[in-house]
Amino acid sequence: MSETCSSCGAAFESKQQLMDHSAKAHPMRTKPLWPPAVNRGSYLRWAALGGFLGGIGMAVVMMIAGQALVGSGIAVVSALGVAVFGGAPTAMATTVGGLVIHFIAAILIGVVIAAITLAVRNRFGGRLAITNAKNGTGIGLLAGFLVWLVWGLPLMLVLMIPAMETVMMAMPVNGMVPTQADLMAMLQNVMLPLMAAWFFSHFVFGGIWGATTGYAAGHRAAAPAAKVAGAGVSR
């Protein structure tokens, strides 16, 4: 009894010959995964690193802005320490505490955003799936804007501006501590550009975070197709 190939109609004397023919002439093609699978644990760890690096970029932007606008590169960092801990504006512990809080928040926010991207990576046609550094940067910029809108803007308006007043009152200007009137005039002059720098710094954070996470998704956290069914792997 001959065996016939269902794909091309060729006849063979045995089933083994048919199987050999099918394997060579009609190999099975598996549809590539889209978005490509990633290892969740590795992806989140790289996102945490991206949050830390993005936090560095954000801090650099704000320190440059602080130096240019109020004559102190650490004024904003000190203000965060004052807002969170209520410490002395000029104390080193307040500045260090503000910096530590900033990096903790940057890392946590980076992980949270990454978890959200994992949850939606198969939705919206995969448009929000981070798969490489290029599209990760784009998605990161969008995430940076949303972080500014949901977190950064309320933080600035509710906590940072009053804390900046406290810090600036303790900072001598031209060798003299400013009066309340001088302080209010200075704040009116610098607050808008300072908020613009705060806005821009969130895009710096998001871009760095997205590029780092995207690099991981395309390289270090990429999961081979054979392991997609395994634990710790996300489609």
Side-chain angles (χ1 to χ4, degrees), residues 117-164:
T117 61
L118 282 177
V120 302
R121 63 187 283 107
N122 291 310
R123 300 176 183 272
F124 314 110
R127 292 183 180 87
L128 295 179
I130 295 179
T131 57
N132 54 61
K134 183 178 179 180
N135 88 318
T137 300
I139 294 172
L141 292 174
L142 173 62
F145 171 75
L146 295 176
V147 170
W148 172 82
L149 186 65
V150 174
W151 170 256
L153 182 59
L155 178 66
M156 174 62 79
L157 296 177
V158 175
L159 294 179
M160 295 295 288
I161 291 178
M164 279 295 294

XYZ file of all heavy atoms in Angstrom, residues 117-164:
360
model
N 3.668 47.598 31.421
C 3.943 47.243 30.025
C 3.853 45.737 29.801
O 3.460 45.294 28.718
C 5.330 47.744 29.570
O 6.354 47.143 30.379
C 5.422 49.253 29.678
N 4.205 44.953 30.817
C 4.036 43.503 30.703
C 2.553 43.139 30.642
O 2.157 42.240 29.892
C 4.683 42.797 31.903
C 6.203 42.647 31.889
C 6.672 41.993 33.179
C 6.672 41.840 30.688
N 1.744 43.844 31.432
C 0.314 43.533 31.489
C -0.403 43.877 30.185
O -1.393 43.236 29.826
C -0.335 44.274 32.655
N 0.098 44.879 29.449
C -0.600 45.328 28.239
C 0.150 44.975 26.964
O -0.266 45.403 25.878
C -0.845 46.860 28.287
C -1.655 47.235 29.509
C 0.469 47.640 28.239
N 1.216 44.189 27.059
C 2.057 43.951 25.885
C 1.312 43.227 24.757
O 1.679 43.348 23.583
C 3.332 43.196 26.257
C 3.144 41.826 26.805
C 4.474 41.252 27.298
N 5.320 40.789 26.208
C 6.402 41.397 25.776
N 6.799 42.512 26.328
N 7.127 40.903 24.785
N 0.264 42.469 25.074
C -0.491 41.778 24.038
C -1.779 42.506 23.681
O -2.586 41.987 22.910
C -0.803 40.351 24.483
C 0.445 39.492 24.533
O 1.204 39.453 23.567
N 0.691 38.823 25.639
N -1.967 43.690 24.236
C -3.152 44.479 23.911
C -2.790 45.585 22.918
O -1.609 45.856 22.688
C -3.752 45.086 25.183
C -4.190 44.029 26.215
C -4.683 44.699 27.476
N -5.041 43.735 28.491
C -6.227 43.160 28.625
N -7.194 43.504 27.775
N -6.468 42.286 29.574
N -3.815 46.197 22.349
C -3.619 47.327 21.434
C -2.687 46.961 20.272
O -1.890 47.780 19.815
C -3.064 48.549 22.179
C -3.770 48.855 23.465
C -3.137 48.652 24.686
C -5.073 49.326 23.455
C -3.790 48.925 25.873
C -5.729 49.601 24.648
C -5.098 49.407 25.856
N -2.793 45.720 19.825
C -1.984 45.288 18.699
C -0.501 45.255 18.981
O 0.310 45.329 18.062
N -0.138 45.155 20.259
C 1.270 45.114 20.638
C 1.969 46.463 20.544
O 3.193 46.539 20.656
N 1.207 47.562 20.403
C 1.826 48.879 20.237
C 2.548 49.350 21.497
O 3.459 50.170 21.418
C 0.766 49.910 19.845
C 0.186 49.709 18.451
C -0.796 50.808 18.100
N -1.356 50.611 16.759
C -2.426 49.877 16.514
N -3.051 49.250 17.507
N -2.872 49.750 15.277
N 2.149 48.850 22.644
C 2.788 49.253 23.897
C 3.759 48.190 24.404
O 4.203 48.266 25.549
C 1.725 49.546 24.961
C 0.804 50.735 24.662
C -0.225 50.921 25.776
C 1.612 52.013 24.464
N 4.076 47.227 23.560
C 5.039 46.198 23.938
C 6.453 46.704 23.681
O 6.789 47.087 22.559
C 4.792 44.915 23.157
N 7.278 46.746 24.705
C 8.670 47.164 24.546
C 9.473 45.970 24.047
O 9.576 44.952 24.729
C 9.229 47.693 25.878
C 8.474 48.961 26.288
C 10.719 47.970 25.776
C 8.929 49.549 27.606
N 10.030 46.108 22.851
C 10.752 44.987 22.240
C 12.202 45.312 21.916
O 12.993 44.408 21.681
C 10.040 44.552 20.938
O 9.958 45.685 20.056
C 8.629 44.056 21.227
N 12.566 46.584 21.864
C 13.938 46.981 21.578
C 14.166 48.384 22.119
O 13.236 49.040 22.592
C 14.225 46.919 20.065
C 13.236 47.725 19.258
O 13.130 48.932 19.429
N 12.497 47.060 18.358
N 15.407 48.839 22.034
C 15.750 50.138 22.623
C 15.033 51.291 21.924
O 14.664 52.277 22.565
C 17.264 50.349 22.566
N 14.817 51.160 20.616
C 14.190 52.259 19.867
C 12.749 52.462 20.287
O 12.350 53.568 20.662
C 14.275 51.971 18.362
C 13.701 53.097 17.524
C 13.863 52.790 16.038
C 13.268 53.921 15.190
N 13.420 53.636 13.734
N 11.944 51.388 20.209
C 10.545 51.590 20.591
C 10.408 51.721 22.105
O 9.471 52.340 22.607
C 9.658 50.480 20.026
C 9.546 49.272 20.942
O 10.536 48.837 21.521
N 8.355 48.720 21.046
N 11.381 51.185 22.858
C 11.370 51.374 24.307
C 11.547 52.837 24.675
O 10.911 53.342 25.611
N 12.396 53.548 23.909
C 12.588 54.969 24.169
C 11.306 55.747 23.922
O 10.930 56.624 24.711
C 13.712 55.522 23.276
O 14.928 54.818 23.548
C 13.933 57.005 23.523
N 10.612 55.423 22.826
C 9.354 56.095 22.527
C 8.303 55.865 23.593
O 7.633 56.801 24.050
N 8.157 54.612 23.997
C 7.190 54.291 25.042
C 7.627 54.905 26.368
O 6.810 55.369 27.166
C 7.022 52.764 25.159
C 6.374 52.213 23.887
C 6.181 52.395 26.383
C 6.336 50.709 23.806
N 8.942 54.938 26.605
C 9.456 55.555 27.823
C 9.153 57.040 27.889
O 8.844 57.571 28.959
N 9.231 57.743 26.749
C 8.896 59.169 26.730
C 7.429 59.383 27.077
O 7.080 60.312 27.817
C 9.211 59.763 25.355
C 10.692 59.849 24.990
C 10.856 60.318 23.546
C 11.431 60.786 25.931
N 6.560 58.518 26.543
C 5.144 58.588 26.894
C 4.948 58.322 28.383
O 4.193 59.027 29.067
C 4.353 57.573 26.063
C 2.870 57.403 26.440
C 2.117 58.709 26.252
C 2.236 56.285 25.613
N 5.663 57.305 28.893
C 5.572 56.989 30.317
C 6.078 58.151 31.170
O 5.504 58.468 32.219
C 6.373 55.719 30.625
N 7.163 58.812 30.720
C 7.688 59.954 31.452
C 6.667 61.067 31.581
O 6.531 61.686 32.642
N 5.938 61.326 30.489
C 4.894 62.351 30.535
C 3.795 61.961 31.526
O 3.328 62.799 32.311
C 4.288 62.555 29.148
C 3.067 63.432 29.158
C 3.182 64.805 29.317
C 1.802 62.868 29.032
C 2.049 65.611 29.341
C 0.667 63.667 29.049
C 0.788 65.042 29.205
N 3.377 60.696 31.491
C 2.323 60.256 32.395
C 2.775 60.296 33.850
O 2.001 60.650 34.742
C 1.871 58.837 32.016
C 1.193 58.712 30.644
C 0.873 57.255 30.337
C -0.072 59.559 30.593
N 4.046 59.945 34.090
C 4.576 60.026 35.457
C 4.579 61.476 35.934
O 4.230 61.767 37.083
C 5.999 59.427 35.528
C 6.651 59.736 36.866
C 5.950 57.920 35.308
N 4.974 62.395 35.043
C 4.933 63.822 35.403
C 3.511 64.261 35.730
O 3.280 64.968 36.717
C 5.476 64.661 34.246
C 5.281 66.145 34.463
C 6.052 66.989 35.195
C 4.215 66.943 33.924
N 5.537 68.261 35.170
C 4.407 68.265 34.390
C 3.114 66.665 33.102
C 3.546 69.304 34.058
C 2.255 67.710 32.769
C 2.476 68.997 33.245
N 2.554 63.832 34.910
C 1.170 64.261 35.079
C 0.560 63.707 36.359
O -0.120 64.431 37.100
C 0.346 63.816 33.865
C -1.103 64.304 33.797
C -1.136 65.822 33.656
C -1.826 63.641 32.633
N 0.817 62.426 36.627
C 0.181 61.756 37.771
C 0.951 61.967 39.068
O 0.363 62.089 40.146
C 0.043 60.241 37.476
C -0.475 59.488 38.693
C -0.887 60.025 36.291
N 2.290 62.036 38.970
C 3.128 62.066 40.169
C 3.940 63.360 40.296
O 3.909 64.036 41.324
C 4.064 60.859 40.162
C 5.144 60.871 41.199
C 6.469 61.149 41.012
C 5.015 60.600 42.600
N 7.164 61.068 42.189
C 6.290 60.726 43.178
C 3.931 60.257 43.404
C 6.525 60.523 44.534
C 4.164 60.054 44.761
C 5.447 60.188 45.313
N 4.657 63.705 39.239
C 5.580 64.823 39.319
C 4.921 66.169 39.529
O 5.368 66.973 40.355
N 3.857 66.455 38.770
C 3.196 67.751 38.888
C 2.554 67.947 40.259
O 2.779 68.987 40.898
C 2.166 67.915 37.769
C 1.422 69.260 37.731
C 2.410 70.415 37.576
C 0.392 69.280 36.601
N 1.761 66.978 40.761
C 1.224 67.152 42.120
C 2.319 67.272 43.177
O 2.188 68.059 44.125
C 0.378 65.878 42.341
C 0.043 65.415 40.962
C 1.222 65.767 40.116
N 3.404 66.506 43.017
C 4.507 66.583 43.976
C 5.103 67.978 43.998
O 5.374 68.534 45.071
C 5.577 65.558 43.611
C 6.838 65.538 44.490
C 6.483 65.103 45.900
C 7.890 64.616 43.896
N 5.308 68.563 42.819
C 5.881 69.899 42.745
C 4.948 70.940 43.377
O 5.381 71.779 44.174
C 6.164 70.250 41.283
C 6.631 71.684 41.049
S 8.186 72.098 41.864
C 9.375 71.347 40.746
N 3.667 70.866 43.035
C 2.726 71.884 43.508
C 2.433 71.778 44.996
O 2.310 72.791 45.693
C 1.419 71.792 42.709
C 1.522 72.103 41.213
C 0.176 71.903 40.534
C 2.026 73.511 40.986
N 2.325 70.553 45.496
C 1.899 70.351 46.885
C 3.069 70.390 47.863
O 2.981 70.992 48.939
C 1.132 69.015 47.024
C 0.783 68.738 48.487
C -0.134 69.046 46.179
N 4.203 69.774 47.500
C 5.305 69.630 48.450
C 6.551 70.439 48.086
O 7.159 71.067 48.949
C 5.691 68.149 48.582
C 4.657 67.219 49.202
C 5.193 65.791 49.227
C 4.300 67.662 50.612
N 6.939 70.405 46.813
C 8.239 70.946 46.452
C 8.304 72.475 46.500
O 9.303 73.043 46.935
C 8.637 70.451 45.066
C 8.861 68.952 44.976
S 10.270 68.433 45.975
C 11.614 69.092 45.002
N 7.254 73.140 46.034
C 7.290 74.604 46.031
C 7.396 75.171 47.448
O 8.253 76.034 47.714
C 6.078 75.181 45.278
C 6.216 74.879 43.787
C 5.956 76.686 45.507
C 5.051 75.370 42.943
N 6.554 74.718 48.408
C 6.738 75.211 49.781
C 8.114 74.870 50.341
O 8.722 75.683 51.057
C 5.627 74.500 50.558
C 4.591 74.172 49.537
C 5.352 73.874 48.296
N 8.622 73.660 50.017
C 9.948 73.278 50.511
C 11.034 74.134 49.876
O 12.032 74.469 50.532
C 10.201 71.798 50.230
N 10.867 74.500 48.585
C 11.826 75.376 47.928
C 11.891 76.739 48.610
O 12.961 77.333 48.742
C 11.449 75.551 46.452
C 11.891 74.417 45.537
S 13.697 74.259 45.397
C 14.102 75.798 44.576
